[in-house]
Amino acid sequence: MKGCFERMKEAYFFDIDGTLYDNKFHEIDPGLFREFGYLQENGADLYLMSSRSPYEMIHLPEEFLNFPFSGIILEGGGAVYGNDLDLVDAWLIPGSDIKKIRNYCRDHDLLWRYSGPEGNYFNRKDDLATRTHWRKLYLTVPKVKEWKGDDVCNILIWTKDENQKQELQELLAENSAVIYPDCIEVRAKGISKENAIRKLRWKKGYQRVICVGDGPNDVNMISEADLGVAMKNACKEAREAADVVIGSVGEGGVTTWLKNRREKGIHHELTSYRK
């Protein structure tokens, strides 16, 4: 009879920027770690899920980096790291596809950024506006280096031109891609946040998966979850995909949501923020 009372095996996957981390003020709600601790005490596994490179993690708050997450999935699902940001596994974009990107960007004078276990780089340094914006977001800027065979898990290509976006999608039809208003994120075939979750669900035997995010690259992850959660500051597509919409990152939305669930019962879902 003991097995009848065992707790359901749960895993939580949290996006970082715009979800846990307020890029405007570079803060994480201090109550978050208390709620994370309660989840772990009740047997849940907690993961970070981000398109950041490991080289963009170093300026996050120390208490955040020191928290014992079950895993840190970066590069949009392209690489798995341990708590010390030691590489566990990586899925690389084929060099032939990177050459296509390099050549297309040369022909159309586009900025692109590539990242992986070996580094995080821009292809050029003359786009001051993008570099400044990047520094405001991550408190660091990729170095400038032409790609010459480096291992790459994630690429961003900046363009607002819809025709160029379409051409790039056709050029890289075998790759996984996410379209943003001002850029395209490219990963290896079949690599995405939601596929990384599917692999972990199968490997770890999770019976319930909860995903929390805010951006276009979180939409499928939120849809994949048994409970999909979007921030109030999330893009429209993420909010529409979610089962629950909670407070914004700037008002400690995740902390408040987790606290309410804890106080009202672990399976109670707060819906008061849904529009």
Side-chain angles (χ1 to χ4, degrees):
M1 295 294 291
K2 181 180 178 181
C4 297
F5 300 99
E6 288 180 356
R7 183 177 294 278
M8 183 179 292
K9 193 171 184 181
E10 289 187 326
Y12 288 73
F13 295 85
F14 295 95
D15 173 57
I16 298 176
D17 300 289
T19 300
L20 301 180
Y21 184 66
D22 187 344
N23 298 83
K24 184 176 181 180
F25 298 103
H26 300 285
E27 294 176 345
I28 292 176
D29 188 87
L32 181 66
F33 303 103
R34 180 181 61 250
E35 301 307 323
F36 276 3
Y38 282 120
L39 289 176
Q40 288 187 330
E41 288 170 10
N42 281 276
D45 287 350
L46 277 60
Y47 294 86
L48 293 179
M49 177 69 78
S50 177
S51 285
R52 282 190 182 225
S53 145
Y55 300 91
E56 293 158 354
M57 298 287 287
I58 57 175
H59 295 295
L60 288 168
E62 186 175 349
E63 65 271 27
F64 187 69
L65 294 176
N66 290 337
F67 189 85
F69 292 101
S70 296
I72 300 173
I73 303 165
L74 303 178
E75 310 283 17
V80 179
Y81 289 83
N83 275 336
D84 295 327
L85 288 180
D86 51 319
L87 181 65
V88 176
D89 208 349
W91 295 269
L92 306 179
I93 300 173
S96 57
D97 291 330
I98 301 175
K99 288 178 182 178
K100 291 178 185 178
I101 292 172
R102 180 193 62 189
N103 294 341
Y104 186 93
C105 290
R106 281 178 178 174
D107 293 343
H108 295 82
D109 193 29
L110 299 180
L111 176 73
W112 62 292
R113 163 266 197 184
Y114 61 95
S115 62
E118 299 179 13
N120 184 35
Y121 302 100
F122 279 134
N123 66 309
R124 68 185 191 199
K125 62 180 180 181
D126 56 347
D127 195 315
L128 180 60
T130 301
R131 292 171 62 82
T132 300
H133 179 66
W134 200 277
R135 185 178 294 279
K136 287 181 179 178
L137 286 177
Y138 305 124
L139 302 177
T140 185
V141 177
K143 296 178 181 178
V144 176
K145 184 173 78 72
E146 183 178 356
W147 178 79
K148 293 184 178 179
D150 309 61
D151 286 343
V152 176
C153 297
N154 189 289
I155 290 174
L156 287 175
I157 307 166
W158 275 268
T159 177
K160 295 181 180 179
D161 188 301
E162 295 303 323
N163 290 329
Q164 290 181 349
K165 289 179 181 179
Q166 182 64 36
E167 289 173 353
L168 283 163
Q169 284 183 278
E170 293 172 359
L171 184 68
L172 302 165
E174 292 297 311
N175 297 90
S176 172
V178 178
I179 309 301
Y180 299 88
D182 60 348
C183 65
I184 298 177
E185 180 182 351
V186 182
R187 299 164 299 224
K189 181 179 180 180
I191 298 304
S192 63
K193 290 185 174 184
E194 61 273 16
N195 281 342
I197 291 169
R198 290 183 191 126
K199 291 175 184 177
L200 277 167
R201 184 198 282 269
W202 177 82
K203 182 178 180 181
K204 300 285 189 177
Y206 294 127
Q207 297 165 287
R208 192 167 191 252
V209 165
I210 299 94
C211 296
V212 189
D214 73 300
N217 60 346
D218 297 322
V219 173
N220 291 337
M221 174 183 84
I222 289 170
S223 297
E224 175 71 19
D226 297 304
L227 176 65
V229 182
M231 309 301 292
K232 189 166 68 175
N233 54 274
C235 66
K236 178 182 178 182
E237 295 79 6
R239 285 185 277 112
E240 289 177 345
D243 300 299
V244 179
V245 177
I246 63 176
S248 68
V249 65
E251 56 194 23
V254 173
T255 303
T256 301
W257 171 64
L258 291 176
K259 181 180 178 182
N260 275 274
R261 292 178 80 238
R262 172 172 57 82
E263 292 177 346
K264 297 180 181 180
I266 196 68
H267 297 297
H268 175 85
E269 306 308 339
L270 180 66
T271 58
S272 61
Y273 289 105
R274 183 178 284 280
K275 297 286 186 178

